[in-house]
Amino acid sequence: MTVLSGPWTLYLIWVLSQQGATRFGVLRQEISGISTKMLTERLRMLEREGIIQRHYQATIPPQVSYDLTDKGAELIAILGDLYSLAERWYGESSEAAHCLN
Amino acid sequence: MTVLSGPWTLYLIWVLSQQGATRFGVLRQEISGISTKMLTERLRMLEREGIIQRHYQATIPPQVSYDLTDKGAELIAILGDLYSLAERWYGESSEAAHCLN
DNA sequence: CCGTATCCGACCGGATACTG
DNA sequence: CAGTATCCGGTCGGATACGG
């Protein structure tokens, strides 16, 4: 729970679960409002926790993408349950896209 | 998710789920390290969200207790899943008692 | 393109004191 | 007993600039 509680963490996982492997720059755009500092911080943390994987391509310019590990995928089921509950509680209008803090 | 992300929130819910209705002072002792300010803040927030209920007895001295609503009880199943996952990931040694931030 | 390094202001949360 | 009010220091996170 400590892991998941950080800002943007759950939304970041959610985005990756929807799109699969995604590049750094795309994530920064997709998660509108996040700073590069925060994004890298969350990505490193989730990588340490074994929830996401980093893929590095030493091309020019370099390409880096991130996706969920198997461990990360296990979370999706639970997060899905939570989102379902949220929909029942707050109505269909509630979007999954929330910054957590 | 925003609701659950605040500090102590999940642990507070967890404690209430284990013990049922619990008085303010007991919670303060049980959740060792929490300040009265933080405790009341979380309690008020969870009450607003309809996750817990406040019971006030105008005795002298007054007695106030808190317990989960039906809505709150719905969360327990999901939290239980999450704790199970955490146990598989981090081993039996991991305790449920974590402060979230 | 994908970051790291540094600075800095805002806010959060603890400690303390006080009330019905 | 169960809080509220106030102050204040530490930390978190954004902005900015820079590097491989």
Side-chain angles (χ1 to χ4, degrees), chain B residues 7-8 35 37-38 41 62:
Chain B
W8 300 104
S35 63
K37 181 183 177 181
M38 181 60 24
E41 201 174 297

Short mmCIF file of all heavy atoms in Angstrom, two decimals, chain B residues 7-8 35 37-38 41 62, chain C residues 12-17 20:
data_model
loop_
_atom_site.label_atom_id
_atom_site.label_comp_id
_atom_site.label_asym_id
_atom_site.label_seq_id
_atom_site.Cartn_x
_atom_site.Cartn_y
_atom_site.Cartn_z
N PRO B 7 -2.64 9.93 4.20
CA PRO B 7 -1.88 9.25 5.24
C PRO B 7 -2.79 8.60 6.28
O PRO B 7 -3.80 9.17 6.67
CB PRO B 7 -1.05 10.38 5.85
CG PRO B 7 -1.71 11.64 5.42
CD PRO B 7 -2.38 11.37 4.15
N TRP B 8 -2.43 7.40 6.70
CA TRP B 8 -3.13 6.64 7.75
C TRP B 8 -4.48 6.12 7.30
O TRP B 8 -5.07 5.27 7.97
CB TRP B 8 -3.35 7.48 9.01
CG TRP B 8 -2.09 7.97 9.63
CD1 TRP B 8 -1.59 9.24 9.58
CD2 TRP B 8 -1.15 7.23 10.41
NE1 TRP B 8 -0.42 9.32 10.27
CE2 TRP B 8 -0.12 8.11 10.80
CE3 TRP B 8 -1.10 5.90 10.82
CZ2 TRP B 8 0.96 7.69 11.57
CZ3 TRP B 8 -0.02 5.50 11.60
CH2 TRP B 8 0.99 6.39 11.96
N SER B 35 -1.15 11.88 15.23
CA SER B 35 -1.50 13.05 16.03
C SER B 35 -3.01 13.21 16.06
O SER B 35 -3.72 12.72 15.19
CB SER B 35 -0.85 14.29 15.44
OG SER B 35 -1.36 14.55 14.15
N LYS B 37 -4.65 15.80 15.48
CA LYS B 37 -5.04 16.57 14.31
C LYS B 37 -5.26 15.67 13.10
O LYS B 37 -6.30 15.72 12.44
CB LYS B 37 -3.96 17.59 13.98
CG LYS B 37 -4.26 18.48 12.80
CD LYS B 37 -3.07 19.39 12.54
CE LYS B 37 -3.28 20.25 11.32
NZ LYS B 37 -2.11 21.11 11.06
N MET B 38 -4.29 14.82 12.84
CA MET B 38 -4.37 13.91 11.71
C MET B 38 -5.52 12.94 11.88
O MET B 38 -6.28 12.69 10.95
CB MET B 38 -3.04 13.16 11.59
CG MET B 38 -2.93 12.17 10.45
SD MET B 38 -3.12 12.81 8.77
CE MET B 38 -2.69 14.51 8.92
N GLU B 41 -8.83 14.61 11.32
CA GLU B 41 -8.91 14.98 9.90
C GLU B 41 -9.33 13.78 9.06
O GLU B 41 -10.25 13.87 8.24
CB GLU B 41 -7.53 15.48 9.46
CG GLU B 41 -7.54 16.35 8.23
CD GLU B 41 -6.15 16.90 7.97
OE1 GLU B 41 -5.65 17.66 8.82
OE2 GLU B 41 -5.55 16.56 6.93
N PRO B 62 -18.11 12.85 27.58
CA PRO B 62 -18.74 12.38 26.34
C PRO B 62 -18.00 11.19 25.74
O PRO B 62 -16.80 11.04 25.93
CB PRO B 62 -18.61 13.59 25.42
CG PRO B 62 -17.54 14.43 26.00
CD PRO B 62 -17.55 14.20 27.46
P DC C 12 -1.74 20.53 1.82
OP1 DC C 12 -2.81 20.37 0.82
OP2 DC C 12 -2.03 21.27 3.06
"O5'" DC C 12 -1.23 19.08 2.20
"C5'" DC C 12 0.09 18.65 1.84
"C4'" DC C 12 0.86 18.23 3.08
"O4'" DC C 12 1.59 19.33 3.65
"C3'" DC C 12 -0.03 17.66 4.19
"O3'" DC C 12 0.48 16.41 4.54
"C2'" DC C 12 0.10 18.68 5.32
"C1'" DC C 12 1.47 19.29 5.07
N1 DC C 12 1.69 20.67 5.56
C2 DC C 12 2.85 20.98 6.28
O2 DC C 12 3.65 20.09 6.53
N3 DC C 12 3.04 22.27 6.69
C4 DC C 12 2.14 23.21 6.40
N4 DC C 12 2.36 24.45 6.82
C5 DC C 12 0.94 22.91 5.67
C6 DC C 12 0.76 21.64 5.27
P DG C 13 -0.51 15.32 5.21
OP1 DG C 13 -0.37 14.08 4.43
OP2 DG C 13 -1.84 15.93 5.42
"O5'" DG C 13 0.17 15.09 6.63
"C5'" DG C 13 1.59 15.07 6.75
"C4'" DG C 13 2.02 15.59 8.10
"O4'" DG C 13 1.97 17.03 8.12
"C3'" DG C 13 1.16 15.12 9.28
"O3'" DG C 13 2.02 14.64 10.28
"C2'" DG C 13 0.45 16.40 9.70
"C1'" DG C 13 1.49 17.44 9.37
N9 DG C 13 1.01 18.81 9.24
C8 DG C 13 -0.18 19.22 8.68
N7 DG C 13 -0.34 20.52 8.71
C5 DG C 13 0.80 20.99 9.34
C6 DG C 13 1.20 22.32 9.65
O6 DG C 13 0.59 23.36 9.43
N1 DG C 13 2.44 22.35 10.28
C2 DG C 13 3.21 21.25 10.57
N2 DG C 13 4.37 21.46 11.18
N3 DG C 13 2.86 20.00 10.28
C4 DG C 13 1.65 19.95 9.67
P DG C 14 1.47 13.87 11.59
OP1 DG C 14 1.81 12.44 11.46
OP2 DG C 14 0.07 14.28 11.82
"O5'" DG C 14 2.39 14.48 12.75
"C5'" DG C 14 3.81 14.54 12.56
"C4'" DG C 14 4.43 15.44 13.60
"O4'" DG C 14 4.10 16.82 13.31
"C3'" DG C 14 3.97 15.17 15.03
"O3'" DG C 14 5.09 15.22 15.91
"C2'" DG C 14 2.97 16.28 15.30
"C1'" DG C 14 3.43 17.42 14.40
N9 DG C 14 2.35 18.23 13.86
C8 DG C 14 1.26 17.78 13.17
N7 DG C 14 0.45 18.74 12.78
C5 DG C 14 1.06 19.89 13.25
C6 DG C 14 0.66 21.25 13.14
O6 DG C 14 -0.36 21.71 12.58
N1 DG C 14 1.56 22.12 13.75
C2 DG C 14 2.71 21.72 14.40
N2 DG C 14 3.44 22.69 14.94
N3 DG C 14 3.10 20.46 14.50
C4 DG C 14 2.23 19.60 13.91
P DA C 15 4.85 14.91 17.48
OP1 DA C 15 6.04 14.14 17.89
OP2 DA C 15 3.50 14.34 17.68
"O5'" DA C 15 4.89 16.35 18.15
"C5'" DA C 15 5.79 17.35 17.64
"C4'" DA C 15 5.68 18.60 18.50
"O4'" DA C 15 4.71 19.50 17.92
"C3'" DA C 15 5.24 18.36 19.94
"O3'" DA C 15 5.99 19.20 20.80
"C2'" DA C 15 3.75 18.72 19.92
"C1'" DA C 15 3.68 19.78 18.84
N9 DA C 15 2.42 19.79 18.09
C8 DA C 15 1.74 18.70 17.62
N7 DA C 15 0.65 19.00 16.96
C5 DA C 15 0.60 20.38 17.01
C6 DA C 15 -0.32 21.32 16.49
N6 DA C 15 -1.40 20.97 15.80
N1 DA C 15 -0.07 22.63 16.72
C2 DA C 15 1.03 22.98 17.41
N3 DA C 15 1.96 22.19 17.95
C4 DA C 15 1.69 20.88 17.70
P DT C 16 5.77 19.14 22.38
OP1 DT C 16 7.07 19.47 23.00
OP2 DT C 16 5.06 17.89 22.71
"O5'" DT C 16 4.77 20.35 22.67
"C5'" DT C 16 5.02 21.63 22.09
"C4'" DT C 16 3.82 22.53 22.29
"O4'" DT C 16 2.79 22.19 21.33
"C3'" DT C 16 3.17 22.41 23.69
"O3'" DT C 16 3.35 23.64 24.38
"C2'" DT C 16 1.70 22.10 23.40
"C1'" DT C 16 1.55 22.50 21.93
N1 DT C 16 0.52 21.75 21.18
C2 DT C 16 -0.45 22.45 20.53
O2 DT C 16 -0.51 23.67 20.53
N3 DT C 16 -1.39 21.67 19.86
C4 DT C 16 -1.42 20.29 19.80
O4 DT C 16 -2.29 19.71 19.17
C5 DT C 16 -0.36 19.62 20.51
C7 DT C 16 -0.32 18.13 20.52
C6 DT C 16 0.55 20.37 21.16
P DA C 17 2.82 23.81 25.92
OP1 DA C 17 3.75 24.70 26.64
OP2 DA C 17 2.52 22.46 26.46
"O5'" DA C 17 1.44 24.58 25.71
"C5'" DA C 17 1.39 25.73 24.85
"C4'" DA C 17 -0.06 26.14 24.63
"O4'" DA C 17 -0.70 25.20 23.72
"C3'" DA C 17 -0.90 26.15 25.92
"O3'" DA C 17 -1.61 27.38 26.02
"C2'" DA C 17 -1.85 24.97 25.74
"C1'" DA C 17 -1.98 24.89 24.23
N9 DA C 17 -2.36 23.57 23.74
C8 DA C 17 -1.77 22.37 24.03
N7 DA C 17 -2.33 21.34 23.45
C5 DA C 17 -3.37 21.90 22.72
C6 DA C 17 -4.35 21.35 21.87
N6 DA C 17 -4.43 20.04 21.63
N1 DA C 17 -5.23 22.19 21.29
C2 DA C 17 -5.13 23.49 21.55
N3 DA C 17 -4.26 24.13 22.32
C4 DA C 17 -3.39 23.27 22.87
P DG C 20 -15.80 26.99 25.93
OP1 DG C 20 -16.30 28.17 25.19
OP2 DG C 20 -15.51 27.08 27.38
"O5'" DG C 20 -16.79 25.77 25.69
"C5'" DG C 20 -16.97 25.22 24.39
"C4'" DG C 20 -17.65 23.87 24.51
"O4'" DG C 20 -16.68 22.86 24.85
"C3'" DG C 20 -18.71 23.81 25.60
"O3'" DG C 20 -19.73 22.91 25.18
"C2'" DG C 20 -17.95 23.22 26.78
"C1'" DG C 20 -17.03 22.24 26.08
N9 DG C 20 -15.78 21.93 26.78
C8 DG C 20 -14.94 22.78 27.42
N7 DG C 20 -13.88 22.20 27.93
C5 DG C 20 -14.04 20.87 27.58
C6 DG C 20 -13.22 19.75 27.85
O6 DG C 20 -12.15 19.71 28.45
N1 DG C 20 -13.76 18.58 27.32
C2 DG C 20 -14.94 18.51 26.61
N2 DG C 20 -15.30 17.31 26.18
N3 DG C 20 -15.72 19.56 26.36
C4 DG C 20 -15.20 20.69 26.87
#
